[in-house]
Amino acid sequence: MMLTQKEKKVSRSIVLILAGLFLVLWMSHETLAQGKEVFPSKTVTIVVPWAAGGSSDTAARVMAKHLSEIWGQPVIVVNQPGATGVIGSLKLAASEPDGYTVGLLSTAVQTTQYTSPNPTDRHAYTYVIGAYFEPFTMAVKGDAPWKSLKEFVEYAKANPGKITHSSSGAASTDKLVAMAFARRSGIQLPDVPFEGYAPAVTAVLSGKIHSTSATLANLAPYLKSGDLRVLAVSSEKRLSEYPNVPTFMENGVNLKWINWNGILGPKGIPAERMAAIQTAVEKVYAMKAWQDFMTTSFIYSFPLKGDQFKTQIDKDDPVLKEMIEGAGLMRAK
Amino acid sequence: MLQDRIASLVFVVLGIVVMIESARLSLDNIHNPGPGFVPFFLGLFMVILSFLSLMAPDKKVRAEAFWNNWQRGKSTFFIFAGMLVYLVLLKMMGFYLDTLCCLIYLIKLSGGRSFKRSILISIPTMIVIYIIFGRLLIIPFPRGILGI
Amino acid sequence: MDILQGMLHGFGVAFTPANLLACFFGVLIGTAVGVLPGIGPSGSIALLLPLTFSMDATSAVIMLAGIYYGTMYGGSTTSILINVPGEAQSVITCIDGFQMASQGRAGPALGISAFGSFIAGTIGVIGLMVLAPPLARFALEFGPAEIFSLVLLAFALVGYLASGSMVKALMMAILGLLFASVGMEIITAVPRFTFGNVNLQSGIGLVPLIMGLFGVSEVILSLEETGPEVEINAKKYAPRFWELFPTRKDWKDSFWPITRGSLIGFLIGILPGGSGIVASFSSYAIEKKISRHPEKFGQGTIEGVAGPESANNAAAQGAFIPLLTLGIPGGSAIALILGALRIHGVIPGPLLIKEHPEVFWGVVASMYIGNFFLLILNLPLIGMWVRLLNIPKYLLYPMIVLFCIIGAYSVDNNLFDVGLLFFFGFLGYVLKRLNFELAPLILGFILGPILESSAKQALIMSGGRLDIFVSSPIATVLLSLSGLVILTAVVSTLRRSKAMEALKREMEASMDKE
């Protein structure tokens, strides 16, 4: 099919217009800054190693929205899920340490050092600033007969193997917490892994499974309606929204572990860029919009930054390793 | 018939490999199945079924093996070769450039008369893709060595 | 507030200009996404999530929901016209839909598809409106043992999907099950068949698998069949206007399939593990079983299009029940909508209807409107789509491959998935050439993991005892049904082969006589 004269003209102009459009968009994307740059001067990417719609992803998007207002540059969230966060975490560690690519990583990056056949390495990151933490829980059905953690433990001791527990995955942190609880209380707590928090919580809602250790965000709507009840939380102190719920420690169980989320980057981000990110993020934390978000999502402030952040992670590592070994989940080559 | 026999044979081998690999992963028993339990039996069924299909070949299959007809299969071979090249070059050339080349190649292979026409169609297409998927929807396509 | 009040409130919310626009925009994008092979509802909802930030919670969900059920409309278009599913859920429509198109009946197929989708969608919304809370509680009765029995029943229906050799269909189902076991095992987190590759640790993605097996392989096959030198359709496909619409007979034949499909789809959509594919496949199997001419399935019967298309639309509406009444997402796309609600500060749960009635009723009302928009959008477009067949091959096929690549990559932003896409494209080509049917493979791939995980979960719950599978009435009933289906399938296969044997002997005898 040979093009007619007119068709040739039309297609030529289309190509020219498109080429022009392309060039304009292209140039605006890669701004050629002259002289001293203000950071950031182009798009910042926040990598989330989980699927879109989850709690980390939600928090990252809210953060990205406010950060782009503060910086006047686009801040986009890129999801790179897979292998319980390993794929995205490994890709982040391998990316350019120029401060333009960071990630919202969580406790999972520590756990997968030991549980994943392709392990992560906590030393491969720059620890910019923490975002929030979530405590784990011991939650049961609203009409269950146990009014306190002690009653639960007594029942489990008297009826070994009859109580079942649901977790969000075979190597998930909530399972680690639950198994540690079981070991340190001296009870049997067979764990049924599901794919994610939603089916794990649903299993308890339906009464088919007796308990779960999901984070509060996943339990909140059911706590409010009374369909579920929390017997204990895994944080260091009681939570302000639930002043009547004791911690594991208060119950005599030597267990305190939380799921932290924080902004990490590949190792070697220049100090001034790291400081710029920290300043901007702290501004976001001060905003009412962020505080409201934290309240509705049941996440709590975790503002450790830089060296403090890394030191805390390193300190917690042996505790985590013991929990993983105790649960029989060491897999790393 | 021949191609059917070869296919069944391949599946038998596949089934056996699966069974061996699963056995390595520990089977345990039906009350507490190990990770290899399910794949082991899947492999077993595969072997059984493949044997059955060896015994009673499918009557609807053409008599001639499909890889024998070069005339017809020429374009197919080139497409697969092209796909392989595309994958190998992807990290180096970056998404846009590599896919652009892929598009040009495919259009020519599918009957577009000349390379010039292929290029004329491919470039505007990739530009539109860049605008919609790269900028509007911000899909993070990987960039290549040249930074594109 | 009771249902009537709720609906009035809902329509009040849905008819505001902002929400009408959100709804229209959503279904428009949904249709486009559905038509484009490769990109599916999960991918597009994830990509458009940032757009919803400037909206309020209700408008955001209205738009995203519109995208979700909109893709169920558009997905059948390419399935029917070029045997390439627009998105994963439309795979079943390829079977009879494409055959109809090859016989020049693309218009009626598209038409029945659109109408069936509309009716099913509307039935689904009515179900959502009237029965949401009790149905959601019913769905909670499905624990691992019950899910196992249900999926086993669905799996037993695989036999009805096969139009050719049963042995080969079963082999494909097993292959699908094997592909599904790649990844970390659900109970022990031990990696299976991953070859040490971190990208396979979470298993093989559905999109690269389906688009490779059906999309890429179909392109290669078609190019091979007719050869690049020959322009397709030497005489262009130019149907007369009235040939575009379903005939009266079509309507008559489709009535019951659409009704049954809607009900089946709706119920499956509510249940955990139920998805568009499972719904459409179940409808197809049931229609084939009930039909007076089952041998015609696979050659282009309208029932094979009407039923599955209705089922997957009804399932899309049903999927919102657990989300809106209990805050439980039934699939990845719905989970995204859950996330969108969370970003807007609305946490879906049992109290959503009470605390945010405008969200619940507004979304339900918008679904009526959305289905209506979709019908109006899709019907006139049939004429246009049918002309799609006239696009020269050298444009159409590379574009399909292009969109498959983009779709496969954008699921997890991982290049490995593009590699998988081509691998499955190659595999699909080889399998099709060897006369293997691919639908059972998809079934095995999707249902397999659920079967395995629910069985193992149930066994942990019961401490290893097998009687948990008959511990509840639901589980027992479903298990017995599965047994029945498998038994009848085996018996009829044996009978068929015995009949074949007898026929062969007769023919040989008569040949000897000559």
PDB file of all heavy atoms in Angstrom, chain A residues 8-27:
ATOM      1  N   LYS A   8       1.185  11.145   2.906  1.00  0.00           N
ATOM      2  CA  LYS A   8       2.598  11.351   3.257  1.00  0.00           C
ATOM      3  C   LYS A   8       2.722  12.640   4.051  1.00  0.00           C
ATOM      4  O   LYS A   8       3.406  12.689   5.074  1.00  0.00           O
ATOM      5  CB  LYS A   8       3.456  11.455   1.987  1.00  0.00           C
ATOM      6  CG  LYS A   8       3.909  10.127   1.463  1.00  0.00           C
ATOM      7  CD  LYS A   8       5.076  10.300   0.489  1.00  0.00           C
ATOM      8  CE  LYS A   8       5.437   8.952  -0.107  1.00  0.00           C
ATOM      9  NZ  LYS A   8       5.828   9.038  -1.508  1.00  0.00           N
ATOM     10  N   LYS A   9       2.050  13.677   3.578  1.00  0.00           N
ATOM     11  CA  LYS A   9       2.165  14.964   4.277  1.00  0.00           C
ATOM     12  C   LYS A   9       1.636  14.834   5.694  1.00  0.00           C
ATOM     13  O   LYS A   9       2.260  15.287   6.652  1.00  0.00           O
ATOM     14  CB  LYS A   9       1.312  16.018   3.528  1.00  0.00           C
ATOM     15  CG  LYS A   9       2.066  16.833   2.551  1.00  0.00           C
ATOM     16  CD  LYS A   9       1.409  18.201   2.338  1.00  0.00           C
ATOM     17  CE  LYS A   9       1.945  18.821   1.035  1.00  0.00           C
ATOM     18  NZ  LYS A   9       0.930  19.358   0.185  1.00  0.00           N
ATOM     19  N   VAL A  10       0.444  14.242   5.806  1.00  0.00           N
ATOM     20  CA  VAL A  10      -0.174  14.123   7.125  1.00  0.00           C
ATOM     21  C   VAL A  10       0.724  13.337   8.065  1.00  0.00           C
ATOM     22  O   VAL A  10       1.002  13.749   9.186  1.00  0.00           O
ATOM     23  CB  VAL A  10      -1.559  13.427   7.017  1.00  0.00           C
ATOM     24  CG1 VAL A  10      -2.074  13.079   8.395  1.00  0.00           C
ATOM     25  CG2 VAL A  10      -2.536  14.323   6.304  1.00  0.00           C
ATOM     26  N   SER A  11       1.214  12.203   7.588  1.00  0.00           N
ATOM     27  CA  SER A  11       2.025  11.391   8.500  1.00  0.00           C
ATOM     28  C   SER A  11       3.325  12.093   8.838  1.00  0.00           C
ATOM     29  O   SER A  11       3.839  11.970   9.941  1.00  0.00           O
ATOM     30  CB  SER A  11       2.294  10.004   7.914  1.00  0.00           C
ATOM     31  OG  SER A  11       2.753  10.113   6.604  1.00  0.00           O
ATOM     32  N   ARG A  12       3.859  12.861   7.900  1.00  0.00           N
ATOM     33  CA  ARG A  12       5.094  13.578   8.216  1.00  0.00           C
ATOM     34  C   ARG A  12       4.845  14.580   9.337  1.00  0.00           C
ATOM     35  O   ARG A  12       5.632  14.697  10.279  1.00  0.00           O
ATOM     36  CB  ARG A  12       5.605  14.293   6.976  1.00  0.00           C
ATOM     37  CG  ARG A  12       7.087  14.624   7.077  1.00  0.00           C
ATOM     38  CD  ARG A  12       7.624  15.098   5.769  1.00  0.00           C
ATOM     39  NE  ARG A  12       7.463  14.083   4.720  1.00  0.00           N
ATOM     40  CZ  ARG A  12       7.738  14.294   3.432  1.00  0.00           C
ATOM     41  NH1 ARG A  12       8.165  15.472   3.033  1.00  0.00           N
ATOM     42  NH2 ARG A  12       7.571  13.342   2.556  1.00  0.00           N
ATOM     43  N   SER A  13       3.710  15.320   9.240  1.00  0.00           N
ATOM     44  CA  SER A  13       3.460  16.318  10.283  1.00  0.00           C
ATOM     45  C   SER A  13       3.182  15.655  11.627  1.00  0.00           C
ATOM     46  O   SER A  13       3.585  16.152  12.667  1.00  0.00           O
ATOM     47  CB  SER A  13       2.318  17.251   9.907  1.00  0.00           C
ATOM     48  OG  SER A  13       1.520  16.720   8.907  1.00  0.00           O
ATOM     49  N   ILE A  14       2.494  14.503  11.564  1.00  0.00           N
ATOM     50  CA  ILE A  14       2.238  13.804  12.832  1.00  0.00           C
ATOM     51  C   ILE A  14       3.559  13.446  13.491  1.00  0.00           C
ATOM     52  O   ILE A  14       3.761  13.666  14.693  1.00  0.00           O
ATOM     53  CB  ILE A  14       1.404  12.523  12.607  1.00  0.00           C
ATOM     54  CG1 ILE A  14      -0.006  12.879  12.160  1.00  0.00           C
ATOM     55  CG2 ILE A  14       1.343  11.696  13.880  1.00  0.00           C
ATOM     56  CD1 ILE A  14      -0.878  11.687  11.923  1.00  0.00           C
ATOM     57  N   VAL A  15       4.467  12.885  12.671  1.00  0.00           N
ATOM     58  CA  VAL A  15       5.757  12.480  13.235  1.00  0.00           C
ATOM     59  C   VAL A  15       6.483  13.678  13.814  1.00  0.00           C
ATOM     60  O   VAL A  15       7.061  13.623  14.897  1.00  0.00           O
ATOM     61  CB  VAL A  15       6.622  11.789  12.161  1.00  0.00           C
ATOM     62  CG1 VAL A  15       8.002  11.508  12.721  1.00  0.00           C
ATOM     63  CG2 VAL A  15       5.972  10.497  11.708  1.00  0.00           C
ATOM     64  N   LEU A  16       6.436  14.807  13.094  1.00  0.00           N
ATOM     65  CA  LEU A  16       7.141  15.995  13.589  1.00  0.00           C
ATOM     66  C   LEU A  16       6.556  16.469  14.910  1.00  0.00           C
ATOM     67  O   LEU A  16       7.285  16.769  15.855  1.00  0.00           O
ATOM     68  CB  LEU A  16       7.055  17.113  12.545  1.00  0.00           C
ATOM     69  CG  LEU A  16       8.091  16.992  11.421  1.00  0.00           C
ATOM     70  CD1 LEU A  16       7.809  18.016  10.338  1.00  0.00           C
ATOM     71  CD2 LEU A  16       9.496  17.202  11.972  1.00  0.00           C
ATOM     72  N   ILE A  17       5.226  16.528  14.964  1.00  0.00           N
ATOM     73  CA  ILE A  17       4.596  16.989  16.204  1.00  0.00           C
ATOM     74  C   ILE A  17       4.974  16.070  17.370  1.00  0.00           C
ATOM     75  O   ILE A  17       5.357  16.528  18.445  1.00  0.00           O
ATOM     76  CB  ILE A  17       3.055  17.012  16.065  1.00  0.00           C
ATOM     77  CG1 ILE A  17       2.662  18.041  15.020  1.00  0.00           C
ATOM     78  CG2 ILE A  17       2.405  17.337  17.390  1.00  0.00           C
ATOM     79  CD1 ILE A  17       1.192  18.093  14.757  1.00  0.00           C
ATOM     80  N   LEU A  18       4.855  14.775  17.100  1.00  0.00           N
ATOM     81  CA  LEU A  18       5.183  13.825  18.162  1.00  0.00           C
ATOM     82  C   LEU A  18       6.635  13.956  18.595  1.00  0.00           C
ATOM     83  O   LEU A  18       6.952  13.936  19.778  1.00  0.00           O
ATOM     84  CB  LEU A  18       4.913  12.390  17.693  1.00  0.00           C
ATOM     85  CG  LEU A  18       3.449  11.947  17.767  1.00  0.00           C
ATOM     86  CD1 LEU A  18       3.298  10.563  17.200  1.00  0.00           C
ATOM     87  CD2 LEU A  18       2.969  11.972  19.202  1.00  0.00           C
ATOM     88  N   ALA A  19       7.513  14.115  17.592  1.00  0.00           N
ATOM     89  CA  ALA A  19       8.931  14.238  17.934  1.00  0.00           C
ATOM     90  C   ALA A  19       9.159  15.462  18.793  1.00  0.00           C
ATOM     91  O   ALA A  19       9.905  15.433  19.771  1.00  0.00           O
ATOM     92  CB  ALA A  19       9.762  14.296  16.655  1.00  0.00           C
ATOM     93  N   GLY A  20       8.467  16.544  18.419  1.00  0.00           N
ATOM     94  CA  GLY A  20       8.620  17.767  19.198  1.00  0.00           C
ATOM     95  C   GLY A  20       8.142  17.580  20.626  1.00  0.00           C
ATOM     96  O   GLY A  20       8.828  17.944  21.586  1.00  0.00           O
ATOM     97  N   LEU A  21       6.947  16.975  20.745  1.00  0.00           N
ATOM     98  CA  LEU A  21       6.370  16.716  22.056  1.00  0.00           C
ATOM     99  C   LEU A  21       7.321  15.876  22.894  1.00  0.00           C
ATOM    100  O   LEU A  21       7.572  16.155  24.074  1.00  0.00           O
ATOM    101  CB  LEU A  21       5.036  15.971  21.874  1.00  0.00           C
ATOM    102  CG  LEU A  21       4.067  15.969  23.055  1.00  0.00           C
ATOM    103  CD1 LEU A  21       3.766  17.378  23.490  1.00  0.00           C
ATOM    104  CD2 LEU A  21       2.786  15.269  22.655  1.00  0.00           C
ATOM    105  N   PHE A  22       7.844  14.845  22.214  1.00  0.00           N
ATOM    106  CA  PHE A  22       8.767  13.936  22.887  1.00  0.00           C
ATOM    107  C   PHE A  22       9.978  14.688  23.423  1.00  0.00           C
ATOM    108  O   PHE A  22      10.378  14.532  24.568  1.00  0.00           O
ATOM    109  CB  PHE A  22       9.192  12.855  21.892  1.00  0.00           C
ATOM    110  CG  PHE A  22      10.328  12.003  22.377  1.00  0.00           C
ATOM    111  CD1 PHE A  22      10.121  11.028  23.329  1.00  0.00           C
ATOM    112  CD2 PHE A  22      11.614  12.174  21.869  1.00  0.00           C
ATOM    113  CE1 PHE A  22      11.163  10.236  23.764  1.00  0.00           C
ATOM    114  CE2 PHE A  22      12.653  11.388  22.306  1.00  0.00           C
ATOM    115  CZ  PHE A  22      12.434  10.420  23.258  1.00  0.00           C
ATOM    116  N   LEU A  23      10.569  15.530  22.553  1.00  0.00           N
ATOM    117  CA  LEU A  23      11.761  16.263  22.971  1.00  0.00           C
ATOM    118  C   LEU A  23      11.465  17.156  24.164  1.00  0.00           C
ATOM    119  O   LEU A  23      12.236  17.211  25.118  1.00  0.00           O
ATOM    120  CB  LEU A  23      12.306  17.105  21.816  1.00  0.00           C
ATOM    121  CG  LEU A  23      13.198  16.328  20.850  1.00  0.00           C
ATOM    122  CD1 LEU A  23      13.451  17.137  19.594  1.00  0.00           C
ATOM    123  CD2 LEU A  23      14.508  15.969  21.519  1.00  0.00           C
ATOM    124  N   VAL A  24      10.339  17.850  24.095  1.00  0.00           N
ATOM    125  CA  VAL A  24       9.992  18.748  25.194  1.00  0.00           C
ATOM    126  C   VAL A  24       9.868  17.977  26.503  1.00  0.00           C
ATOM    127  O   VAL A  24      10.467  18.344  27.512  1.00  0.00           O
ATOM    128  CB  VAL A  24       8.646  19.472  24.891  1.00  0.00           C
ATOM    129  CG1 VAL A  24       8.106  20.115  26.142  1.00  0.00           C
ATOM    130  CG2 VAL A  24       8.862  20.517  23.814  1.00  0.00           C
ATOM    131  N   LEU A  25       9.095  16.879  26.453  1.00  0.00           N
ATOM    132  CA  LEU A  25       8.917  16.092  27.668  1.00  0.00           C
ATOM    133  C   LEU A  25      10.238  15.518  28.139  1.00  0.00           C
ATOM    134  O   LEU A  25      10.530  15.478  29.333  1.00  0.00           O
ATOM    135  CB  LEU A  25       7.924  14.952  27.414  1.00  0.00           C
ATOM    136  CG  LEU A  25       6.462  15.365  27.347  1.00  0.00           C
ATOM    137  CD1 LEU A  25       5.606  14.178  26.964  1.00  0.00           C
ATOM    138  CD2 LEU A  25       6.003  15.928  28.670  1.00  0.00           C
ATOM    139  N   TRP A  26      11.030  15.077  27.188  1.00  0.00           N
ATOM    140  CA  TRP A  26      12.313  14.467  27.539  1.00  0.00           C
ATOM    141  C   TRP A  26      13.216  15.457  28.249  1.00  0.00           C
ATOM    142  O   TRP A  26      13.800  15.171  29.292  1.00  0.00           O
ATOM    143  CB  TRP A  26      12.976  13.983  26.237  1.00  0.00           C
ATOM    144  CG  TRP A  26      14.256  13.281  26.482  1.00  0.00           C
ATOM    145  CD1 TRP A  26      15.510  13.789  26.371  1.00  0.00           C
ATOM    146  CD2 TRP A  26      14.414  11.937  26.912  1.00  0.00           C
ATOM    147  NE1 TRP A  26      16.440  12.849  26.697  1.00  0.00           N
ATOM    148  CE2 TRP A  26      15.796  11.703  27.034  1.00  0.00           C
ATOM    149  CE3 TRP A  26      13.519  10.904  27.205  1.00  0.00           C
ATOM    150  CZ2 TRP A  26      16.294  10.477  27.424  1.00  0.00           C
ATOM    151  CZ3 TRP A  26      14.026   9.690  27.590  1.00  0.00           C
ATOM    152  CH2 TRP A  26      15.401   9.487  27.693  1.00  0.00           C
ATOM    153  N   MET A  27      13.321  16.652  27.661  1.00  0.00           N
ATOM    154  CA  MET A  27      14.207  17.646  28.255  1.00  0.00           C
ATOM    155  C   MET A  27      13.730  18.025  29.646  1.00  0.00           C
ATOM    156  O   MET A  27      14.517  18.190  30.562  1.00  0.00           O
ATOM    157  CB  MET A  27      14.259  18.914  27.379  1.00  0.00           C
ATOM    158  CG  MET A  27      14.759  18.636  25.980  1.00  0.00           C
ATOM    159  SD  MET A  27      16.340  17.811  25.972  1.00  0.00           S
ATOM    160  CE  MET A  27      17.438  19.178  25.808  1.00  0.00           C
TER     161      MET A  27
END
